[in-house]
Amino acid sequence: MIATVMPPDARDQRSDANLSCSDGMIPLLSARRLTGTPSAMAAATLSYDADPDWLWVGTEVLRTYADDGARRAMTDLRTFIGRCPTVAPSGQGVGDIHRFAIAPGPPLGDDSIHVSCSMTSGSGTLECDSVLVRIGTTLVVVQEEGNEPGGDKYLAQLAEAALRRYQTTGP
């Protein structure tokens, strides 16, 4: 693992805000940023060198909130993706599309979700799926970083390992 610098979360940008489904929403929709203000945050880059022709890259992010921010962030993420499942980013190639969906996550913690994310440009598709696990006031997030379709097969295992590590060492 390599330490990673993460952008700040979206603070009080709530789902009830009258926000358009623009390319500015993509970090929120993909769980790269979340609503609320964590009291502590840490991140690391993960990689798995499966064979000489293929490398899986992702991040693990731990966000701890002083209040019910973790629960609100999960609710807001579900709401944002429900409102904006497809975004066509401006200023990029014609036909570029980002698609988002929510599925149940692995049965971990108090709540978990799988955010399915795909980016299509021309005939190519990359995925950036995430698994978010809430444990009380903490979110453990494991994200894949623009991998080929099917790269999400490691997310549940990595989320389980991240949760065990969190439960063993604490915030």
Side-chain angles (χ1 to χ4, degrees):
M1 282 201 261
I2 301 167
T4 303
V5 176
M6 294 296 297
D9 276 356
R11 294 190 174 53
D12 293 327
Q13 187 173 11
R14 297 299 311 267
S15 59
D16 56 355
N18 195 9
L19 301 171
S20 68
C21 296
S22 68
D23 52 343
M25 290 284 291
I26 290 173
L28 283 168
L29 293 166
S30 64
R32 297 285 182 255
R33 293 178 65 196
L34 297 170
T35 58
T37 304
S39 56
M41 197 160 113
T45 299
L46 311 169
S47 67
Y48 176 67
D49 194 0
D51 65 50
D53 297 323
W54 190 78
L55 173 68
W56 185 93
V57 179
T59 57
E60 178 183 320
V61 181
L62 178 68
R63 291 174 165 94
T64 302
Y65 298 82
D67 55 12
D68 71 339
R71 182 186 317 269
R72 283 193 325 265
M74 295 276 279
T75 299
D76 289 348
L77 182 61
R78 287 179 169 110
T79 301
F80 281 134
I81 291 175
R83 279 189 36 233
C84 303
T86 303
V87 178
S90 61
Q92 295 187 12
V94 174
D96 288 0
I97 300 290
H98 290 241
R99 289 183 176 82
F100 305 94
I102 295 278
L108 300 170
D110 299 322
D111 186 13
S112 63
I113 58 175
H114 179 160
V115 176
S116 176
C117 168
S118 67
M119 301 166 283
T120 303
S121 179
S123 62
T125 299
L126 292 177
E127 293 181 348
C128 55
D129 289 14
S130 303
V131 169
L132 293 84
V133 179
R134 184 181 61 79
I135 309 100
T137 60
T138 299
L139 286 178
V140 175
V141 183
V142 177
Q143 303 165 323
E144 67 169 328
E145 302 290 333
N147 293 301
E148 295 294 322
D152 65 334
K153 66 183 175 185
Y154 300 108
L155 284 176
Q157 295 169 343
L158 291 168
E160 289 175 26
L163 180 58
R164 279 193 304 272
R165 192 169 35 258
Y166 169 75
Q167 291 171 326
T168 302
T169 61

